[in-house]
Amino acid sequence: MSTTGATADPPPNSRKGPGPGDPLAALGSLPGVAESVESVRKAVDRVYGHRVMRRRSNEITPEAALRGARGSAALSGADWALEEVRRRSDFSGDGARTMGAALRLTAEAGQLLSIWRQSPLRVLARLHLVAAAVGAEWVGRPRREGEPVDEPLIGLPLPSAAEAHGRLEGLSELIIAGGSAPALVTAAIVHGELLALRPFASHNGLVARTAERIVLIGSGLDPKSVCPAEVGHAELGQEAYLKALEGYVSGAPEGVAAWIAHCGRAVELGARESTAVCEALQRGAA
């Protein structure tokens, strides 16, 4: 994307496939994006440099996963207290299924890192299968024309199935091709595209946030998965989340930049959460 002159190329959320050059890397030149990338890097460095993190990361990682799952479920309408999530073992009831799906996805994400760069569509299909946890014919594949989408908290216009398929293929090609885009930029675009497209019949929000997690881990930015962006997204609130998403879907450069910045702030807050866990462990309070 070019940010000079009176007009700009369309952002990735309006492309049918990868264009020339490296469009994801080009997003790094949008106003404020470089600052967000640098701020995220510093936040991640701080938590990785913590004395407790260096010695006891095997305790921080599962705690971050639990808190991330809780945050993602909250954004999909299941806002539970952390201790309730920790206490419960049965998530089969109607009110608990979203939380159960978020927990399963968080556990599954680490198993799919090696596949993501080679076959992101295969990973997304697997994530939907894990989230839905039913044997219906529509599970694990992109929706078809006329099929309803159960994503009531996202009221944006729904692209046609044909458009969703085309853009999903284009996103997949960009990921497979690789490039020099910062991890934050790639993670934010993957997250935003999946929310904008809602390619599956259900659980798109949970899948999108898990895909963001996979990018952040697999890129090497957060290899131990201790900076759960889902925590930050939940802390920033659903209203801010949806407003930032609207900016992304608009395709305007400032809207895309604001979405990337929002995702960056979420990662920073996730890092802060794990830093607090480190501090508690250091005090012997957790």
Side-chain angles (χ1 to χ4, degrees), residues 7-194:
T7 61
D9 295 335
N13 65 316
S14 62
R15 293 182 185 270
K16 303 302 182 187
D22 188 349
L24 293 183
L27 295 175
S29 66
L30 290 174
V33 170
E35 290 81 356
S36 292
V37 168
E38 179 63 13
S39 184
V40 165
R41 186 192 63 78
K42 289 179 178 178
V44 173
D45 284 350
R46 279 194 294 272
V47 67
Y48 273 82
H50 196 285
R51 182 170 61 181
V52 170
M53 179 66 193
R54 292 198 302 267
R55 297 176 179 176
R56 302 170 67 179
S57 64
N58 62 324
E59 296 176 61
I60 309 301
T61 295
E63 183 65 20
L66 181 71
R67 294 176 186 227
R70 192 215 72 80
S72 189
L75 286 168
S76 286
D79 192 358
W80 289 26
L82 181 63
E83 290 310 313
E84 175 66 7
V85 180
R86 205 188 302 279
R87 182 186 66 81
R88 286 282 290 268
S89 57
D90 180 9
F91 295 93
S92 60
D94 287 344
R97 285 176 182 160
T98 297
M99 184 62 68
L103 290 167
R104 290 192 301 273
L105 285 172
T106 300
E108 188 75 10
Q111 311 303 314
L112 300 171
L113 294 171
S114 63
I115 306 171
W116 174 255
R117 283 294 297 272
Q118 285 74 43
S119 183
L121 296 182
R122 179 181 165 195
V123 169
L124 293 173
R126 174 62 184 170
L127 291 176
H128 187 245
L129 184 67
V130 169
V134 295
E137 184 270 339
W138 48 266
V139 172
R141 63 156 174 80
R143 58 185 167 88
R144 295 171 182 162
E145 213 63 63
E147 290 182 337
V149 174
D150 181 15
E151 206 72 41
L153 299 180
I154 299 178
L156 295 169
L158 185 69
S160 69
E163 181 182 353
H165 289 196
R167 286 167 57 179
L168 202 59
E169 288 283 353
L171 181 65
S172 174
E173 290 172 21
L174 286 173
I175 294 166
I176 293 169
S180 59
L184 171 63
V185 171
T186 303
I189 297 305
V190 166
H191 185 171
E193 274 293 273
L194 292 173

Side-chain angles (χ1 to χ4, degrees), residues 231-243:
V231 168
H233 286 303
E235 185 172 338
L236 291 168
Q238 192 172 85
E239 183 178 348
Y241 185 66
L242 295 177
K243 182 179 179 181

